[in-house]
Amino acid sequence: MTKRISTIKNQDRSVKILLAPLLVLIILVSTVPIILSVLAAFTDWVAGIDVDINFVGLANFKYMLTDMQFFASFKLGLIWSILVTVLTTIMGVCVALLLNQNKRYMFPLKLLALSPWAMSPPAIAVIWITLMNVNSGPFNVILRKLNVPAGKIGFLEDPTLFFPTLLVIGAWALMPMITLSALASLKILSRELSEAMDIDGVTPLQKLRHLILPHLRPVLVPLFALNLIWNFGAFDLIYVILGSFPPPNSEIPIVFAFRQAFKYGQFGYASALGVTIALFELVLVYAILRKQMRESNQ
Amino acid sequence: MKTLRVIGTVFFTIFFGLPLFWLVSTSLKQELQIGSSDLIWFPTKPDWANYSEAVNRSGILVAAWNSLWISTVSAFITTAVTAPAAYLVAQSKGWFSKVATGWVLSSQVFPSILTVFPLFLIYVKIGLFNTFTGAIILYVIFNLPFSLWLQRGFVKNVPTEILEAGRIDGASGLKVLRYVVLPLILPGSIVVFIYAFINTWNNFLVATVFLQGNEKQTLTTQLARFIGTEGLGLFGPFAAATVLSVIPTLLLFIVLQRKFTANLVAGAVKS
């Protein structure tokens, strides 16, 4: 028996050798940078050639605690992440429930609802900038047609409207992942149970509450946790839209850290911000998922 | 309930359909029609000039070619390395599988932005900055965790009896992989390829940080440059360029989505 296992191990060695270069690359571009980034957080590293790098202990973190702009962006990031995740989860489940009917006319809606997943952040930005334009955007044109005096709304230019508009764009762009997962989960919902409930005269609302939502829960809770941190770090979309409309204090922490590094060259400080963001995300995911794991163990 | 369903269907059709419809309609309008304060849902005489202008604009064609070439190569390499890696992870029960799973999970949690600062400096040092090779390496590694997860379900479905039969006959792991496993997980490889292609085609972060030369732009960074530098003056050509950039991934996506859902279902049933 032991002999057979050892030959199997030897047999797989050829595959391992084949994959060794991949392992080296993973270490080079994934592991080493993370370690370096954590180390850099404790230095005064700034961009430039032949700059001395000194170990400064916790100085970056101390500075961060006095950096009001970072706090503002952190708060904004939290609000953005919570709102957009709640919004996409609720709407995504609604769309999945709609799509989960075996009707042929639902197919185009399915393609439409999932299509943002196939688009790049700059493409999404172009689409919504065109749609929300002050002069030619259809919303503004319709408002003017209705003789509303405010038919020139700068959805993306107005500082008070910028954030709500961003939420709508975020909901549009980030929903497909949730729709798809909820849809996949609904496909394995017991049809017999569902039909039995219909015959027993259970109202659709009761069915939603007692059958469908509990069924979706194990899929939705981890997805909610992951989306919360993904959206907290949703760099691309916001960075691109901000590129053309930078209202004051509208940066979420990831974009803030990115600018610190690539605009001001503050690699040490940016790394400290990155480490803080990563730690925060880890704690968040752990807190949400621990509760669920405990429940599933019972 | 029925009215609720109708309202929901209408609402979501407009919510998801209107932006796309407006994009296509804008791309076919003349400049005067775009600036017009009347509402023109769709131009009566579609004007293709925006498309020729988008194509003739410096950079767009080069960027499209770069995107196509980088995405294809990255998707091929991702698919090629995912199959043996998923096989190894599924086969080994020891530390290797644990480390691999840990890496897949942690790469989802760790913000990629955190690795970007030091990676930038490493790349400048070893000469991979502003090279397609460097970008492709990053795309492959960034695509890998989710690809592994996708392919794992397919590898698990390969019956162990078949694997063991091949082994007892003395075939090497490589031979078992090539003649037994690979043909069986071909559907998984197709899903991985399409996922990797779409993900690379649409990626913005890697391209904007690691490909900064004018001749190295991809479609995503070129579009972002337009938004940033030229502002909103040229809606028509922008819209046309965006339509062109979205068509390949949208087509692939339409092919993919059914298999993707099926695979998700298979994974959910298993766990």
Side-chain angles (χ1 to χ4, degrees):
Chain A
M1 192 62 196
T2 41
K3 202 182 166 197
R4 214 186 110 200
I5 287 174
S6 74
T7 52
I8 286 181
K9 268 194 177 153
N10 285 336
Q11 282 168 342
D12 275 345
R13 187 169 290 162
S14 51
V15 185
K16 280 184 187 161
I17 292 168
L18 188 78
L19 285 175
L22 184 69
L23 197 67
V24 173
L25 282 183
I26 289 177
I27 292 172
L28 180 74
V29 307
S30 178
T31 317
V32 171
I34 290 179
I35 295 170
L36 275 181
S37 189
V38 173
L39 290 179
F42 299 96
T43 66
D44 61 355
W45 193 354
V46 288
I49 304 154
D50 293 329
V51 197
D52 282 335
I53 301 170
N54 302 306
F55 182 74
V56 292
L58 291 169
N60 285 325
F61 293 95
K62 278 187 190 140
Y63 179 72
M64 182 184 79
L65 290 177
T66 63
D67 189 347
M68 280 311 166
Q69 275 185 308
F70 179 67
F71 272 104
S73 84
F74 205 89
K75 197 174 132 202
L76 187 80
L78 263 185
I79 299 173
W80 150 262
S81 166
I82 292 171
L83 286 182
V84 87
T85 309
V86 170
L87 203 63
T88 47
T89 306
I90 294 174
M91 289 171 83
V93 170
C94 289
V95 178
L97 287 173
L98 276 176
L99 292 174
N100 192 39
Q101 316 167 57
N102 278 327
K103 292 196 178 107
R104 194 154 283 179
Y105 61 79
M106 278 298 166
F107 188 68
L109 178 59
K110 184 176 176 185
L111 284 187
L112 271 184
L114 299 179
S115 64
W117 187 65
M119 293 178 202
S120 68
I124 293 167
V126 170
I127 289 174
W128 282 89
I129 289 170
T130 325
L131 200 67
M132 293 300 190
N133 185 255
V134 178
N135 293 314
S136 58
F139 297 116
N140 274 317
V141 175
I142 290 172
L143 283 178
R144 275 203 299 274
K145 279 259 148 78
L146 297 171
N147 264 330
V148 178
K152 263 189 178 303
I153 299 174
F155 290 100
L156 283 160
E157 290 89 342
D158 189 330
T160 50
L161 285 176
F162 176 80
F163 192 67
T165 310
L166 207 59
L167 278 179
V168 175
I169 303 176
W172 187 82
L174 302 167
M175 208 193 297
M177 176 82 188
I178 293 172
T179 309
L180 202 63
S181 309
L183 202 59
S185 173
L186 283 175
K187 285 241 158 74
I188 53 167
L189 180 70
S190 157
R191 185 151 287 170
E192 292 84 26
L193 201 60
S194 174
E195 275 163 9
M197 276 185 158
D198 286 340
I199 294 166
D200 286 347
V202 177
T203 65
L205 212 63
Q206 281 172 324
K207 198 164 128 186
L208 184 73
R209 211 181 128 196
H210 297 289
L211 176 71
I212 297 176
L213 287 184
H215 172 79
L216 287 178
R217 229 190 118 177
V219 175
L220 286 183
V221 173
L223 201 63
F224 187 84
L226 276 178
N227 267 286
L228 215 50
I229 58 164
W230 280 337
N231 294 336
F232 191 71
F235 171 78
D236 313 36
L237 187 62
I238 294 189
Y239 182 78
V240 176
I241 295 173
L242 278 179
S244 44
F245 300 96
N249 295 325
S250 55
E251 289 173 337
I252 64 167
I254 287 283
V255 178
F256 185 81
F258 186 84
R259 292 245 163 95
Q260 290 295 325
F262 289 102
K263 196 169 172 193
Y264 306 115
Q266 302 286 342
F267 283 110
Y269 185 50
S271 301
L273 297 180
V275 169
T276 309
I277 294 167
L279 280 178
F280 173 75
E281 293 187 345
L282 282 173
V283 170
L284 199 70
V285 169
Y286 181 72
I288 298 177
L289 291 188
R290 196 188 52 158
K291 198 166 160 250
Q292 207 208 8
M293 275 179 208
R294 212 191 289 143
E295 275 169 17
S296 66
N297 281 342
Q298 275 166 4
Chain B
M1 200 60 200
K2 199 162 180 196
T3 43
L4 205 66
R5 214 168 254 178
V6 173
I7 293 171
T9 310
V10 170
F11 172 76
F12 283 113
T13 308
I14 294 175
F15 183 59
F16 285 109
L18 179 67
L20 293 184
F21 175 79
W22 194 254
L23 176 76
V24 175
S25 138
T26 305
S27 75
L28 294 170
K29 283 178 190 168
Q30 290 170 354
E31 217 178 309
L32 272 177
Q33 292 173 309
I34 293 173
S36 151
S37 52
D38 286 325
L39 193 57
I40 304 168
W41 282 115
F42 208 80
T44 37
K45 265 200 207 137
D47 184 9
W48 295 91
N50 289 323
Y51 283 87
S52 51
E53 202 186 325
V55 169
N56 288 331
R57 284 189 81 74
S58 61
I60 282 281
L61 265 192
V62 177
W65 172 247
N66 290 346
S67 275
L68 186 68
W69 150 246
I70 293 175
S71 307
T72 311
V73 175
S74 301
F76 260 114
I77 299 178
T78 307
T79 315
V81 297
T82 299
Y87 167 80
L88 260 193
V89 173
Q91 284 299 301
S92 93
K93 303 251 165 354
W95 61 272
F96 182 81
S97 153
K98 276 194 191 122
V99 169
T101 318
W103 178 69
V104 168
L105 285 177
S106 65
S107 66
Q108 295 302 307
V109 175
F110 239 66
S112 57
I113 206 83
L114 192 60
T115 58
V116 165
F117 312 139
L119 202 51
F120 175 75
L121 299 160
I122 294 175
Y123 262 43
V124 171
K125 261 251 146 70
I126 60 178
L128 282 175
F129 174 68
N130 215 9
T131 64
F132 287 156
T133 316
I136 288 170
I137 291 174
L138 287 182
Y139 285 127
V140 170
I141 304 293
F142 286 172
N143 285 338
L144 202 56
F146 195 67
S147 303
L148 268 177
W149 184 81
L150 281 173
Q151 189 66 284
R152 210 182 59 135
F154 288 92
V155 174
K156 271 193 170 169
N157 281 337
V158 177
T160 33
E161 296 83 37
I162 298 186
L163 290 179
E164 275 171 10
R167 286 231 167 96
I168 290 163
D169 290 346
S172 73
L174 219 53
K175 275 204 173 128
V176 173
L177 185 69
R178 172 147 180 229
Y179 294 106
V180 181
V181 181
L182 279 191
L184 286 173
I185 61 170
L186 190 68
S189 295
I190 294 170
V191 173
V192 167
F193 182 89
I194 297 176
Y195 159 75
F197 185 93
I198 293 181
N199 214 29
T200 310
W201 180 274
N202 286 337
N203 184 289
F204 175 71
L205 181 63
V206 169
T208 198
V209 175
F210 296 98
L211 294 174
Q212 294 189 356
N214 274 334
E215 73 299 338
K216 296 273 163 65
Q217 298 297 306
T218 63
L219 267 179
T220 50
T221 53
Q222 195 66 28
L223 272 179
R225 275 188 170 193
F226 282 159
I227 303 170
T229 57
E230 301 190 23
L232 309 160
L234 292 160
F235 272 130
F238 279 172
T242 307
V243 171
L244 291 178
S245 85
V246 161
I247 286 175
T249 44
L250 218 52
L251 282 182
L252 269 178
F253 172 72
I254 291 171
V255 178
L256 166 78
Q257 59 89 20
R258 194 167 293 163
K259 281 195 174 137
F260 206 80
T261 322
N263 192 40
L264 273 175
V265 172
V269 172
K270 284 186 102 59
S271 65

